[in-house]
Amino acid sequence: MRNRMRNTPAAYALGMFAMMVPSQAFSAFYSYYYVEKLGLGIGLATLARTIYLIWDAVNNPMAGYLSDRTDTRFGRRKPWIVSAVPLMMLSFIMIFAVPEGLAGNSLFWWFLISLILFEGVSTILWVNYGALFPELFRGDKLRAKASAVQQAFQIAAILVGSALTPILFGALGFGNMAIVFAFVFAIFMLLCVWLIREDEDARKEKPLPLREAFRETLANKEFWLFNIANSFAQTVNGLLASMIPFYAKYALKIPESQVSLLLASIFVSVIPLVAVWYWIIRKLGGFHSWRLSLAIYGLSAIPLWFADNLAGGIAAGVVIGFGLTGFLVTPSVLSSRIIDLDAQKTGRRREGIYTAVGGFITRSSGLISALAFWIVGMIFGYVSGSNPGPYPAETFRVLVSVVPLLLLALSVVVSLLLSNFTDDSKRESGSDTEG
């Protein structure tokens, strides 16, 4: 089985499933857990995310640079991934296993330290895992196929991390839920590493010196515009995931036990839509499909404003699933093309540093999401679960509908500044191979 599965899109996608289960559970429920359940003020929660972003600004690019310079008989990326697995398990459990009695500043410090550890280890994993994609899959056709498979696994993980989480913490508590997901992560991540073999030729290339590596990366206009547009869209992903439990409680007025149904409506509909977006990419190309997905994603958030019960929320969730699917499927094809063009220019493949710097830009979406929560909360008077203010329903309608529409409009505007850098790939279509 190992030889048959080695370096296939499905083998690689196991890693996406592994990492997205705890990542989605974190992004969807950390605000609800700390702010609504434990009473941490949204101002302190936003401060913690701001401090983390400063830390991430340092560790993310360095993780990519060190990954590119690693040379072992096991590869460049795999040693980093394997070493990070136990640390990821422990830090994720720490996020949701808060000791009883912590409140105020003590709760803030627990959250901040847990966040720095969790996000720091996540950086190592995402940088090294993401750097494998353009190395393993060459050519737009194979990348489109691999991206579709990867995103199907990602959506399955999002469904597990979103819809199953309320069931698990309702039955087992938040701490035991985290233990279950930590072991799910470890099993699938180690299976992915076992089935992947890195390209030995890639690590034979002498890496660029640190200063030159960053200069070449930061001077790449297409890279910056592409990732800035993606960062606004990524903010919407995180905002929707983290605000849906609040939206369900205050706007739809449904019990916590039905939140899983609402989340499932979004992500179950996404699974078959991956095939639709794969077809769109083959017809329009990766660049135009990506731009189209941003516009559709923004418009699809509008129905969330009008829902006022579970049925309306489910219908709106199905609609937004179409736009979400497009954004999940399209970016990886384009980011890989940016790396290919850089390799043609510099003579070196630098997946690690590009993945890391791009990851930092898009991961800044967490801060934008936290700031949006804080600002809209102040406008409508929401402070925490113990002090929701006079207009909690309006607070979360704005956060799941109006703010996503505005952020995705910005994504579309930025994307219009970017020329179609995939045109040259058409000349390569004859050499693309299906794997």
Side-chain angles (χ1 to χ4, degrees), residues 207-220:
L208 290 172
L210 179 62
R211 182 177 299 179
E212 186 179 350
F214 277 94
R215 184 172 64 246
E216 290 289 343
T217 303
L218 298 178
N220 191 323

Side-chain angles (χ1 to χ4, degrees), residues 30-31 35 40-50 108 111 115 370:
Y30 89 87
S31 288
V35 175
L40 181 68
I42 57 174
L44 288 176
T46 302
L47 176 60
R49 296 293 289 187
T50 304
F108 166 76
F111 176 57
L115 179 65

